[in-house]
Amino acid sequence: MRLKKALHPATLALMIGGSILLTSCGENKSNADNNKIPPVAVKIFQTQPLNYTIKTVLPARVVASQIAEIRPQVSGIILKREFDESSNVTEGQSLYQIDPAIYQATYDSAVASVASAEANANIAHLTLKRYEGLLKTKSISQQDYDKAQADSQQADAAVLVAKANLHTAKVNLDYTKVYSPIQGYIGKSNVTEGALVNAGQQTPMALVQKLDPIYVDMTQAATIFERNEKDRDTLYKPAEKVELFFNDGSKYEYNGSVKFSDKTVNETTGTVTLRAEFANPNSKILPGMFVKPHYTLGNIENAILVPQKGITSNQLGNYTAIIAIPMNNTAGGNEQQTYYLEQRNNVKVYSGIPGYWIVTSGINAGEKVVISGLLNLAGRNLNDPKNKTIVNIINIKEPDMLSQKQLDTIIENNLK
């Protein structure tokens, strides 16, 4: 049997070295594959500019625009009620007649007192005039003339007093007719014919309320009111209006406008009062009613809204978001777009509505915000320029978006 020819030592060494080299290359390739980090799978939200209307529902109560409590200015017996209860009255309309007999007698006496005082004054003036001639001829003393002059002045003063008493008597006589000081609605009468009323009594005889226009007093937390005033003309463009809704959900036909906002904070509730004015020609809104006004402050133009699950906060309490940034790669003449992640730590938000934050800075329109897969990114430095985290966007062809119609629906549903 023939034996195989032994290999040359140099050839054997070459074969062993090649085997070791191939093994080493295989191991290096395997290690490189093990060290390669696969793209992270995430979902994104595509931001776009929207018109956000700032609306809020405030607790409110209806009050009359004018209120007149009818009270007697003089005491006496009510002879007649001269209006229909639960009706509209005009300004200056007579409401009650108080017995004028005693006041008429006082007035007549005052008229007589004026006539008597004027007669006495006339005599005093004639006496003084006669004394002037006698004084020139030295027929009377200077003392007699001075006394006549003082009597004349005193008589004039008595006339003034009598006329003042006459005026008082006339006013009291006029007060026996009780008139409405304003135009409005008058309810039930608290007194009847034959009742005794006293001047300035605490209980009004009736109440007249002006219902057109009518006021709605709204209350708002002082902190929110202060923030809204600060953001006016900077964050949002004012376009104030008030829409009124009743407890059954029906909407009032007229819109109102804010008449004023009280600058005094209620110490007990920490709220301020805003007063809105509404037309009320048919008296559908009545004083004392609790209503639900929808208060519109204005609009944030080109607002950026981001799902709340895409906004987080760091250890410093600042809002953060992760943005998918497009990166163009060219390989073999074919252009392929990939994305890497960038973390924004300077996100500012204005407020929130169900499911979304209104972002005022830190995120621009058209950017893609990561809204799912965030747990896969824990512990990574997304802003390391040397080691960018590449992502596989699951919904890149149809990203989550928010339309203007959807936003308006969310705002309206949030007010219910």
Side-chain angles (χ1 to χ4, degrees), residues 142-156:
Q142 182 68 41
Q143 182 178 358
D144 292 337
Y145 175 79
D146 292 340
K147 184 179 182 305
Q149 188 177 39
D151 290 342
S152 176
Q153 293 174 347
Q154 188 174 9
D156 289 339

Side-chain angles (χ1 to χ4, degrees), residues 26-235:
E27 291 178 352
N28 290 338
K29 182 178 181 181
S30 177
N31 291 336
D33 291 339
N34 291 335
N35 292 332
K36 184 178 180 181
I37 301 175
V40 179
V42 297
K43 291 185 68 176
I44 61 163
F45 175 85
Q46 179 78 47
T47 62
Q48 57 180 333
L50 300 172
N51 182 31
Y52 180 80
T53 303
I54 304 176
K55 286 186 176 182
T56 184
V57 178
L58 299 176
R61 190 172 184 176
V62 180
V63 296
S65 56
Q66 283 184 293
I67 300 176
E69 295 182 339
I70 307 302
R71 288 186 173 87
Q73 298 289 84
V74 293
S75 301
I77 301 296
I78 299 295
L79 293 183
K80 187 178 180 182
R81 171 172 58 84
E82 299 180 316
F83 68 93
D84 295 327
E85 294 177 305
S86 186
S87 64
N88 292 320
V89 296
T90 60
E91 181 180 350
Q93 179 178 333
S94 179
L95 303 179
Y96 295 95
Q97 174 65 65
I98 299 174
D99 186 0
I102 189 172
Y103 299 101
Q104 183 66 54
T106 302
Y107 174 76
D108 294 340
S109 176
V111 171
S113 296
V114 170
S116 176
E118 288 177 342
N120 292 333
N122 188 36
I123 294 174
H125 291 159
L126 292 175
T127 301
L128 179 62
K129 187 175 182 180
R130 186 166 58 251
Y131 276 23
E132 288 178 354
L134 294 175
L135 180 62
K136 293 178 180 179
T137 61
K138 305 296 183 178
S139 299
I140 61 171
S141 65
Q142 182 68 41
Q143 182 178 358
D144 292 337
Y145 175 79
D146 292 340
K147 184 179 182 305
Q149 188 177 39
D151 290 342
S152 176
Q153 293 174 347
Q154 188 174 9
D156 289 339
V159 172
L160 295 177
V161 171
K163 288 183 176 180
N165 291 334
L166 175 62
H167 179 70
T168 301
K170 179 67 168 60
V171 169
N172 288 335
L173 180 60
D174 290 342
Y175 279 159
T176 60
K177 290 282 280 187
V178 181
Y179 300 96
S180 175
I182 63 173
Q183 177 180 344
Y185 168 81
I186 190 168
K188 69 181 184 67
S189 174
N190 295 325
V191 294
T192 60
E193 287 87 348
L196 174 65
V197 293
N198 297 307
Q201 64 184 29
Q202 291 187 350
T203 303
M205 295 190 293
L207 191 68
V208 180
Q209 302 178 89
K210 187 174 183 179
L211 304 182
D212 186 23
I214 201 162
Y215 294 152
V216 174
D217 284 352
M218 307 174 291
T219 56
Q220 186 177 45
T223 53
I224 298 178
F225 174 79
E226 183 181 3
R227 184 188 67 179
N228 292 337
E229 289 296 302
K230 180 181 178 182
D231 294 335
R232 180 186 296 269
D233 294 319
T234 55
L235 178 64

Side-chain angles (χ1 to χ4, degrees), residues 221-257:
T223 53
I224 298 178
F225 174 79
E226 183 181 3
R227 184 188 67 179
N228 292 337
E229 289 296 302
K230 180 181 178 182
D231 294 335
R232 180 186 296 269
D233 294 319
T234 55
L235 178 64
Y236 69 89
K237 183 179 180 180
E240 290 183 332
K241 72 174 182 178
V242 184
E243 300 169 288
L244 198 61
F245 290 83
F246 298 103
N247 290 328
D248 61 357
S250 60
K251 184 178 182 296
Y252 185 56
E253 55 187 314
Y254 299 103
N255 290 336
S257 59

Side-chain angles (χ1 to χ4, degrees), residues 13-29:
L14 181 61
M15 292 177 64
I16 294 173
S19 176
I20 293 174
L21 181 60
L22 290 174
T23 301
S24 176
C25 290
E27 291 178 352
N28 290 338
K29 182 178 181 181

